[in-house]
Amino acid sequence: MAFEDTFKKLVSHCKEYGYVFPSSEIYDGLSAVYDYGQYGAELKYNIRKYWWDSMVLLNRNIVGIDAAIFMHPTVWKASGHVDAFNDPLIDNRDSKKRYRADVLIEEHMEKIEEKISREIQKAQVKFGEAFDEAKFRSTNNRVLELQAKLDEIHLRYSRAMKGNDLEELRRIIIDNDIVCPISGTRNWTDVRQFNLMFSTEMGSTADGANRIYLRPETAQGIFVNFLNVQKSGRMKIPFGIAQVGKAFRNEIVARQFLFRMREFEQMEMQFFVTPGSELEWYNYWKEKRMKWHLALGFGPENYRFHDHEKLAHYANAACDIEFKFPIGFKEVEGIHSRTDFDLKSHQQFSGKKIQYFDPETNKSFIPYVIETSIGLDRMFLQVISAAYCEEELTKEDGSKDMRVVLRLPSALAPVKLAVLPLIRKDGLPEIAEKIADDLKFDFNCQYDDKDSIGRRYRRQDAIGTPYCITVDHQTLNDQTVTIRYRDSMLQERVPVSGLRDIISEKVSLKTLLKEL
Ligand code: ATP
């Protein structure tokens, strides 16, 4: 199935099954803003908890805070966002569509890379076992030609981005015949910078009002509270501050569902270290964060690191963790070594000393920072796109059937178990309701007695419920029920009295956290 088709199916599945709705849908929606439905909110909560616990519970030297969205306007001058939180935008005069110039160029480079991969795949099929990829890359004329083109664009692009050369970005687009996907023309405007921060006014009268911003990242709430947390928590370096919260960016090209939103949530952790030790910690956090992703069991082949070539002016190392979405490998999380840029800048702008006193050396210094920054919504999209699965089934009579199943990790699934009476009589509903009532204190439990048992199983598969408990006539005699496993569809008979322990073991976040 084409990538785009899988993505479209995912979007409609999320809507049909109460995961994600377009914001204000009855008014035709608001671009790149989404609401989470009854199951989406639970899944999001579970992902957030998995992240929070992995930071705050598992690390004695990491604490969590919850800073406000509104901050003093000078924060964004100090952080560089007022002057430099820009994207280069370009308009197509025929379609009147607006694009990010950097994204147009990057997508063009990706297309060339895909062409190279296709040539290699074809040759692999042709030469079989004897195929030598390195030799093929260095001798095949077509591949050499494409690679040379790619290298040339790459060089021009990184120079233009580093030098903030907007005219050169436009020239790269023109020279490479990059066309607007809508109009198909090369009728481009100049490239302009566009600040991504949303602003509003605080205060009751226009005169006295202060222009303030909706925070475009949560990190600054941590930096401005560095001293508060360090002093009140008597924290010793190295230590970290974690936070989950909303961030807002007026993205130029907001598309691809939850991937690029204008209102989204970030889970960020700033780890403060002694200057000089930052690259060691950078590598430590790279490994730790990758482990966190891999523990979800979606397969190591779907993840990779992507080192940044163009480092932000304050960073001395940075990489992304990318996941293979239906739309290709894309960033889910960034890990950045931010030096002392932020604290130093806040020290300058605020005029307050923001330093750490090391009792062992009797010296004060501004700590360096390693940051791990992951989008909660993007992670949600990652989880749900990895979990979405269409399966062909063969029924007992040999005919074919289809089921859609969300293979969510049990610890993240919104509903952990559904209790289903086989039929709606003979006292079975009463027993099933009692079981659900008993277990509701431990797990998110559903009771369902509508439609045939097969249809009820399918409904639970579609929302990703890992376990279905079925109460049947045998239950009346021996107090046992069947437990049906979502992924294998196998069923097992177990005593009602053992359900809590069996399910706890399987759905506990603890099991996941222990792998880290
Ligand atoms: P991108 O290159 O995709 O614009 P970024 O490098 O600007 O992202 P960061 O500022 O490093 O992203 O933000 C950290 C994380 O926040 C990203 O890895 C991503 O998961 C998430 N994120 C950033 N922007 C958005 C957005 N508009 N919608 C949803 N998640 C986002």
Side-chain angles (χ1 to χ4, degrees), residues 249 251 259-261 264 266 331-332 336 373 375 378:
R249 296 182 187 179
E251 299 279 2
F259 190 81
R260 197 170 296 288
M261 299 157 84
F264 58 101
Q266 286 187 314
E331 167 182 348
V332 187
H336 313 126
S373 172
R378 206 175 279 185

Side-chain angles (χ1 to χ4, degrees), residues 253-420:
V253 188
R255 58 192 157 109
Q256 293 162 334
F257 196 31
L258 307 179
F259 190 81
R260 197 170 296 288
M261 299 157 84
R262 293 201 165 106
E263 173 180 342
F264 58 101
E265 232 167 304
Q266 286 187 314
M267 307 190 283
E268 296 198 294
M269 194 278 298
Q270 324 294 135
F271 198 72
F272 300 93
V273 303
T274 25
S277 69
E278 72 275 11
L279 292 182
E280 213 175 293
W281 284 110
Y282 170 73
N283 288 322
Y284 172 88
W285 281 108
K286 259 177 90 168
E287 199 190 312
K288 271 261 184 197
R289 294 304 304 147
M290 186 57 107
K291 228 172 170 185
W292 183 89
H293 287 277
L294 293 177
L296 293 174
F298 292 123
E301 68 284 3
N302 290 318
Y303 299 86
R304 69 180 188 196
F305 283 115
H306 169 77
D307 291 320
H308 284 202
E309 302 211 1
K310 185 202 168 213
L311 292 176
H313 56 288
Y314 50 76
N316 64 3
C319 71
D320 299 331
I321 293 179
E322 295 187 337
F323 181 77
K324 198 169 173 193
F325 284 94
I327 44 172
F329 268 104
K330 298 275 175 204
E331 167 182 348
V332 187
E333 170 157 11
I335 298 156
H336 313 126
S337 172
R338 292 178 77 122
T339 66
D340 58 357
F341 172 82
D342 302 88
L343 292 182
K344 199 154 122 191
S345 189
H346 285 304
Q347 177 169 278
Q348 270 161 14
F349 276 80
S350 68
K352 313 253 163 45
K353 189 173 168 190
I354 307 182
Q355 299 196 3
Y356 173 78
F357 175 74
D358 185 344
E360 278 166 32
T361 59
N362 264 341
K363 283 196 181 127
S364 291
F365 61 89
I366 303 179
Y368 270 36
V369 172
I370 305 301
E371 153 183 281
T372 72
S373 172
I374 173 169
L376 176 51
D377 313 81
R378 206 175 279 185
M379 185 61 199
F380 180 103
L381 179 63
Q382 192 256 268
V383 167
I384 208 144
S385 59
Y388 181 86
C389 179
E390 290 176 5
E391 257 179 25
E392 196 182 75
L393 306 172
T394 310
K395 291 208 274 200
E396 274 170 16
D397 62 3
S399 62
K400 298 284 181 209
D401 194 7
M402 231 279 290
R403 76 162 178 159
V404 173
V405 53
L406 287 186
R407 293 177 180 275
L408 295 168
S410 302
L412 300 186
V415 179
K416 304 299 186 205
L417 80 156
V419 189
L420 319 169

Side-chain angles (χ1 to χ4, degrees), residues 58 118 126 209 235 341 349 356 386 414-415 417 451 454 459 474:
L58 301 193
R118 275 203 298 277
K126 193 165 149 200
M235 308 299 289
F341 172 82
F349 276 80
Y356 173 78
V415 179
L417 80 156
D451 301 323
R459 261 203 305 269
Q474 193 179 326

Side-chain angles (χ1 to χ4, degrees), residues 140-170:
N140 180 276
N141 282 339
R142 173 90 181 121
V143 170
L144 285 172
E145 198 184 297
L146 287 167
Q147 190 62 49
K149 179 102 223 133
L150 188 62
D151 293 344
E152 187 211 318
I153 304 174
H154 199 261
L155 186 70
R156 286 181 68 185
Y157 173 60
S158 25
R159 274 197 200 136
M161 290 298 279
K162 272 189 195 132
N164 216 354
D165 187 345
L166 302 182
E167 180 47 38
E168 172 66 353
L169 285 178
R170 181 170 190 273

